[in-house]
Structure formats: structure tokens, C-alpha cells
Amino acid sequence: MFDTLSDRLTSVLQNLRGKGKLSDADIDATAREIRIALLEADVALPVVREFIKQVKERAKGAEVSEALNPAQQVIKIVNEELIAILGGETRRLNLAKNPPSVIMLAGLQGSGKTTLAGKLALWLKKQGHAPLLVACDLQRPNAVTQLQVVGERAGVATFAPEPGNGVGDPVDVARRSIEEARRAQHDVVIVDTAGRLGVDEELMRQAADIRDAVTPDETLFVVDAMIGQDAVTTAEAFRDGVGFSGVVLTKLDGDARGGAALSVRHVTGEPILFASNGEKLDDFDVFHPDRMASRILG
Ligand code: GDP
């Protein structure tokens, strides 16, 4: 992901090398090229506008530096503005002072929630936590089994409705999982919720009911970076319907244009906490805006 964007930005910035002082016209031309590169990569328009405005203002105001030539200065500004739209500082996961902490996952079906639940559980386990996975996706056939399989692979316990008890009520399962966590001394509860193919009201209501039942310390919106501009509209729908405190980008290993993923932070105002880049439980890491910016700028 981001290969095309990365190539484009690198070549635009390359053109500035060897130039002496940059005129306003040089900066405008460069800004125009960057704008096209971002739009072609699917970065949302309001994000592009803000980005270009900042780059232009700062490049024209040219913080004069002894150490950097004009081209290097523009590259530095572009890098810093990329970091800014990606959220600036790395945001750490919030855990409760009094365990169990509750982390709820929300997002569309297929966004990678169940896989993420396993990844997060393994990551927490490696840090000495004792997580409990909770199966509240009772809509999709096999979702419970899938979570149990992921849990086994991560070596983490799973709490699920007892088989044969009918469909089961996800809100009830969520509530009971907290009691189970206290009983079996799990300090983090990870709640996997149902996702539909599209945003729908029932899904939102169910997720909001689960949220009210377990008052999560973090509600993470899980979004597939491959879905392009829909990532932004889906994020807005979940923000309004359920609310979330952080974002997880999945499938960053894909070859889609990826710009929508770059827009989610700016559009929703919520930080990106983690990034997933593969199907294996280890293909997962804390999201660092500065490292992502460096990756994009090559
Ligand atoms: P859910 O419906 O939101 O629970 O999504 P799943 O966890 O079932 O994931 C849907 C599909 O995406 C599965 O085939 C996963 O193996 C795959 N998947 C999840 N995360 C990633 C990722 O980061 N990269 C890739 N390439 N595939 C992923």
C-alpha cells in the first residue's frame, strides 16, 4: 500500500533538488503536484485541502535554516504535515486503573475484527496481561468458532454463549463476560461485535447497547484500508452511531491506494492506535504516525 503515492511524492520532491531559493511560483507548482498525488491516492478532499494549505503557508513563510537547502526544507515540511494528519504523537492504549479493562471492537463485516481480536490478545499477552476474548458476534454463522480458533492460536481464553442456548443475546454475553473476567482474573476483556456488510441501524443499536452494558475503556473502530473512500463514510457513520475512541487500520499489506486510511484520523478526530498488515497473528503493530510518514516519503 502507498507505493504509488510514495513514488509520486518522491518524484515531485526530487524535482526541487538542486534549486537555489524557491520562488512562490515554484512552491505553488510543487503544491499542485502534491495535491494531485494525494487525490489520486484517494485521500479525502478536506484532508488534502488542509494539508496543501499548511505546506504552502509554511514553505512560503520559509523557516530559514542554515542546515537545510530549500528542497530539504520543503521535504521536512511535507513530512511534518503528513505526521500531523496521521495524528502526531503515537497514542497508547488506555487501560483501566481497576481491571478488568474493556476493549470493544466495532466495524463492518470483513473489516478484520475477529482477526484483530486475536492479534490484540496475543500482543497484550506478550506484555504480561491475561486477556479474555468475548464472542458477541452472534449474527454471522461461524463467527464464534472463528474467535475460538483465533483464541487458541493466541493461547488466550474465549468466552462465548453456551451452544444449544438458541441464538443468544450479545448484550447478555458481554455483561456476563465481565463477571467471568473477574472470576478467572482476566485483566483485559476484548469484545468482538457483529459487523454487517453495510452500515445499518440495527447493527449500530446493538453495538451501542453492548457499549452501554460494558462501558469500554476503549472502543476501537476497525477499518479495512482496502475499501477506499468508503472508509471515511463508514468511519463517520460509526462515530455518529456508536462512537469510538480509536481506530485500527487493517489490511495495510494490500495494494489499494490507501489514501482513505490516511484520512480517517483527520476526518473523525480520533487517533489511529494500531495497524494490521497481514493474516498472521504477528502481522500487527502499534501505529506510529512518524514511521508511516517516513514509509510514504520513501
Ligand atoms: P470480521 O468479519 O471483521 O471479523 O473480519 P475477519 O477477522 O474475519 O477478517 C476478514 C478477512 O480478512 C479474513 O480472511 C482475514 O484473514 C483477513 N484479514 C484480516 N486482517 C488482515 C490484514 O491485516 N491483512 C490481510 N491481508 N488480510 C486480513
Side-chain angles (χ1 to χ4, degrees):
M1 193 161 286
F2 308 121
D3 288 351
T4 315
L5 175 62
S6 184
D7 289 349
R8 290 285 300 272
L9 288 180
T10 314
S11 86
V12 171
L13 295 169
Q14 201 84 38
N15 290 339
L16 294 175
R17 285 191 201 280
K19 289 206 178 205
K21 191 177 168 350
L22 299 180
S23 67
D24 282 3
D26 288 331
I27 291 167
D28 286 340
T30 304
R32 220 170 8 251
E33 298 272 335
I34 295 175
R35 185 174 190 278
I36 295 168
L38 293 173
L39 287 173
E40 284 184 354
D42 260 356
V43 180
L45 190 55
V47 182
V48 176
R49 284 210 185 106
E50 176 65 19
F51 185 89
I52 296 298
K53 180 168 163 275
Q54 291 298 331
V55 169
K56 268 194 191 170
E57 269 177 26
R58 290 185 57 191
K60 286 181 184 174
E63 301 128 29
V64 186
S65 155
E66 304 274 309
L68 300 177
N69 65 38
Q72 287 168 331
Q73 238 162 57
V74 174
I75 293 169
K76 179 169 174 281
I77 292 169
V78 169
N79 183 48
E80 286 171 1
E81 291 303 322
L82 263 181
I83 295 172
I85 60 164
L86 292 170
E89 299 280 302
T90 302
R91 152 79 146 74
R92 290 167 61 103
L93 186 70
N94 262 329
L95 294 178
K97 288 205 187 70
N98 299 319
S101 301
V102 180
I103 302 170
M104 173 171 144
L105 309 180
L108 295 182
Q109 181 173 319
S111 59
K113 279 186 306 302
T114 307
T115 311
L116 173 78
K119 291 176 173 181
L120 198 54
L122 181 62
W123 182 79
L124 285 164
K125 188 181 140 187
K126 283 181 179 166
Q127 293 177 44
H129 292 284
L132 177 66
L133 289 169
V134 181
C136 287
D137 180 355
L138 308 182
Q139 301 287 334
R140 184 163 57 96
N142 294 331
V144 173
T145 320
Q146 193 194 339
L147 190 70
Q148 284 166 330
V149 169
V150 161
E152 267 165 38
R153 271 171 38 213
V156 164
T158 305
F159 183 80
E162 297 76 23
N165 260 0
V167 177
D169 171 11
V171 178
D172 180 53
V173 173
R175 208 178 277 127
R176 285 191 293 123
S177 76
I178 307 293
E179 291 162 23
E180 170 63 10
R182 290 215 171 89
R183 191 194 64 73
Q185 307 209 327
H186 293 284
D187 65 341
V188 188
V189 173
I190 301 171
V191 181
D192 187 22
T193 65
R196 306 286 158 81
L197 289 175
V199 171
D200 78 42
E201 276 184 29
E202 203 189 323
L203 158 77
M204 290 297 176
R205 217 170 13 247
Q206 186 184 89
D209 287 346
I210 295 174
R211 178 202 64 205
D212 292 345
V214 298
T215 47
D217 298 284
E218 292 276 16
T219 302
L220 301 180
F221 169 64
V222 182
V223 60
D224 175 347
M226 304 273 283
I227 67 174
Q229 290 289 354
D230 281 348
V232 170
T233 38
T234 311
E236 287 173 327
F238 273 84
R239 181 194 57 197
D240 299 343
V242 189
F244 52 83
S245 54
V247 178
V248 181
L249 299 175
T250 64
K251 309 193 194 181
L252 285 177
D253 53 312
D255 57 7
R257 289 175 285 189
L262 302 183
S263 315
V264 169
R265 161 72 226 266
H266 187 89
V267 171
T268 66
E270 299 301 344
I272 303 166
L273 268 64
F274 298 103
S276 263
N277 56 1
E279 297 192 71
K280 294 201 296 296
L281 291 187
D282 281 330
D283 297 330
F284 167 80
D285 209 347
V286 170
F287 183 78
H288 298 287
D290 53 346
R291 287 189 210 164
M292 180 58 88
S294 307
R295 182 173 142 194
I296 293 169
L297 285 182

